[in-house]
Amino acid sequence: MKFTPAKPSLHGETLDSLGARLAEAGEPAYRARQILGWLYKKRAASWDEMTNLPRPLRAWLAETFDLESTSLVLGRQSEDVTDKLLLELRDLSLIETVIIRAPQEGVGLDQSRKTICISTQVGCAMGCVFCASGLAGLKRDLSAGEIVHQLVQVCRREDAHTPRARAELASFDNIVVMGMGEPLHNYENLLRALTILNAEWGLGFGARRITLSTSGLVPKILQLADEAAGFRLAISLHGATNEVRGQIMPINKRWPLEELLPAVRTFSDKHGRMVTLEFILIEGVNDMLDQAAKLRDIAGDLHAHVNLIPYNTVEGLPWKCPSLTRQQNFMAVLQERGVSVTLRREKGRDIDAACGQLRLKTERDRAASPAA
Ligand code: SAH
Ligand code: SF4
């Protein structure tokens, strides 16, 4: 289950850890900042680009660290506003990173706000019955370097064709940890990755523009509440009663609503910020109006925002998305009492944008023709 690469990813090093490795190798401390500058300000893709480092140091880095822990196998632009990257890891596992553009009036798509959705694991252990990511269980955790490298890949791609993208800046506006995997199930590596993204010697990306989505690992939500950095939190609720939630999310048996909801309250009290409750609408499963009424009560109690997401069908699974009328009727119940709610428009349907779907399809194709 655990993969140990031949060399650790350089993108998993912090200023301190890299400084310590350099000191052991007899190099001066200022080299650490220079190297990190090449990674995050210039997004270097080869050792040769690092022209202000002496050749022997570049050779030592190449022997000691991996510079490219992910490689792009497929970049797919959908007809709407999403762009999906399929990345291959050193052990040939596949992960997905998605760029979502929010069109703004009077501004071209290239300059629109960009949200990047990143993965944290290969597969997922949580087994939610509607989700493509969890179908084959968990293969392994991503390392901190592999998590960070996804964002570097995005920057490189955006730098190439976005006038606004400049060296020294991240070329996106928000990060959502909503790709493949359960982020809080890979807590240490994720927090290290977010520290690197957040640091001034890294991408300098603000914690408040990073949202973690979890299926509800209660002890880890409480641990996250104690972290100083103010990440935003989203909870995959998907059922407003234990009965409905328990049918589709096995984790609800371990941590039912009476444990989950107080943990969410602790988090929002500590950080003074609204938590988002995500609710996928699946026809005949959780889209009944009595679920809407219970969801309204939960959201009102927690002073949380609700994000309704029309279910994106997964090949081989029986679940369906309700009609637009049913979606709107559900939303109206929440709006009646002034709950803050949004109904997400489906994005990237034509490129299998829902969690884990492009990877699933590619793995199935590989299995069907192993030589390819
Ligand atoms: N494991 C974390 C984060 C990744 S999933 C979590 O579950 O929160 C990100 C979001 O996509 C979750 O809310 C998840 O329930 C949702 N999702 C999964 N499969 C989906 C599908 N087929 N259609 C719509 N949303 C889906
Ligand atoms: Fe895992 Fe999230 Fe998918 Fe559930 S919804 S299986 S927790 S990735």
Side-chain angles (χ1 to χ4, degrees):
M1 192 91 92
K2 193 168 167 5
F3 168 68
T4 314
K7 294 178 233 176
S9 165
L10 186 54
H11 294 87
E13 299 298 319
T14 63
L15 182 63
D16 286 349
S17 69
L18 183 59
R21 291 299 300 274
L22 287 164
E24 281 167 25
E27 293 286 343
Y30 69 86
R31 292 287 186 209
R33 271 187 188 274
Q34 269 182 328
I35 295 166
L36 294 168
W38 281 108
L39 297 191
Y40 300 112
K41 313 290 187 233
K42 304 208 175 63
R43 355 277 202 204
S46 75
W47 305 108
D48 293 340
E49 285 171 54
M50 306 184 185
T51 44
N52 64 353
L53 304 181
R55 270 178 196 283
L57 174 56
R58 274 188 261 163
W60 176 82
L61 285 170
E63 262 166 40
T64 314
F65 293 107
D66 187 5
L67 185 58
E68 297 291 277
S69 59
T70 76
S71 55
L72 185 65
V73 254
L74 190 62
R76 279 175 92 180
Q77 180 96 49
S78 77
E79 279 163 21
D80 60 16
V81 290
T82 53
D83 189 1
K84 188 151 202 169
L85 311 185
L86 186 67
L87 301 174
E88 189 174 71
L89 310 178
R90 290 289 181 192
D91 66 352
L92 306 186
S93 296
L94 296 171
I95 56 165
E96 298 170 14
T97 306
V98 185
I99 305 167
I100 306 153
R101 299 184 170 83
Q104 285 159 276
E105 256 176 67
V107 176
L109 256 194
D110 274 352
Q111 288 158 58
S112 59
R113 286 180 70 76
K114 293 182 197 77
T115 297
I116 313 304
C117 177
I118 58 169
S119 295
T120 52
Q121 296 181 312
V122 182
C124 181
M126 299 300 139
C128 305
V129 298
F130 48 79
C131 175
S133 293
L135 276 183
L138 175 68
K139 188 164 167 198
R140 70 170 172 91
D141 285 337
L142 296 191
S143 67
E146 288 167 332
I147 297 172
V148 172
H149 204 254
Q150 294 173 63
L151 280 319
V152 173
Q153 292 278 24
V154 170
C155 285
R156 285 183 192 155
R157 192 176 172 88
E158 295 291 301
D159 290 351
H161 62 255
T162 307
R164 197 188 60 168
R166 277 176 286 135
E168 317 271 312
L169 282 182
S171 51
F172 44 83
D173 305 282
N174 294 291
I175 297 174
V176 293
V177 190
M178 294 188 184
M180 202 192 320
E182 165 49 54
L184 299 187
H185 195 213
N186 185 16
Y187 192 93
E188 300 303 325
N189 291 347
L190 176 64
L191 265 277
R192 186 177 175 95
L194 296 182
T195 304
I196 293 167
L197 294 172
N198 187 221
E200 47 73 36
W201 45 260
L203 272 184
F205 197 79
R208 263 165 285 159
R209 293 192 284 149
I210 302 176
T211 303
L212 278 73
S213 172
T214 179
S215 57
L217 276 73
V218 166
K220 295 293 175 190
I221 293 173
L222 296 172
Q223 192 176 339
L224 190 68
D226 283 336
E227 303 281 349
F231 304 116
R232 288 178 185 269
L233 184 66
I235 303 290
S236 290
L237 202 63
H238 309 333
T241 52
N242 282 326
E243 198 200 343
V244 169
R245 194 168 191 264
Q247 276 168 18
I248 52 177
M249 298 183 72
I251 193 175
N252 195 72
K253 306 213 164 65
R254 180 74 184 81
W255 291 292
L257 293 175
E258 57 276 17
E259 293 190 46
L260 174 60
L261 300 178
V264 177
R265 182 185 296 280
T266 302
F267 185 94
S268 56
D269 284 353
K270 280 207 172 137
H271 292 277
R273 199 165 296 129
M274 254 189 170
V275 166
T276 297
L277 302 177
E278 294 163 285
F279 205 94
I280 318 178
L281 292 170
I282 310 177
E283 190 181 73
V285 173
N286 65 358
D287 66 340
M288 295 74 86
L289 296 185
D290 60 331
Q291 282 288 302
K294 297 234 160 61
L295 176 58
R296 172 195 65 205
D297 295 345
I298 292 173
D301 249 22
L302 290 171
H303 191 55
H305 174 78
V306 175
N307 193 8
L308 299 176
I309 307 159
Y311 181 65
N312 212 324
T313 43
V314 176
E315 212 187 302
L317 294 181
W319 321 101
K320 292 199 188 76
C321 176
S323 67
L324 189 60
T325 312
R326 273 183 86 102
Q327 296 172 27
Q328 284 166 342
N329 290 346
F330 192 99
M331 177 154 96
V333 174
L334 287 110
Q335 283 172 323
E336 262 165 29
R337 298 279 175 84
V339 168
S340 154
V341 54
T342 42
L343 176 61
R344 194 193 287 173
R345 202 173 64 78
E346 280 175 278
K347 282 180 185 158
R349 188 188 259 287
D350 58 317
I351 54 160
D352 304 304
C355 186
Q357 293 196 50
L358 186 59
R359 171 211 178 224
L360 185 71
K361 197 173 264 179
T362 309
E363 298 245 336
R364 281 177 180 166
D365 291 350
R366 277 184 176 180
S369 52

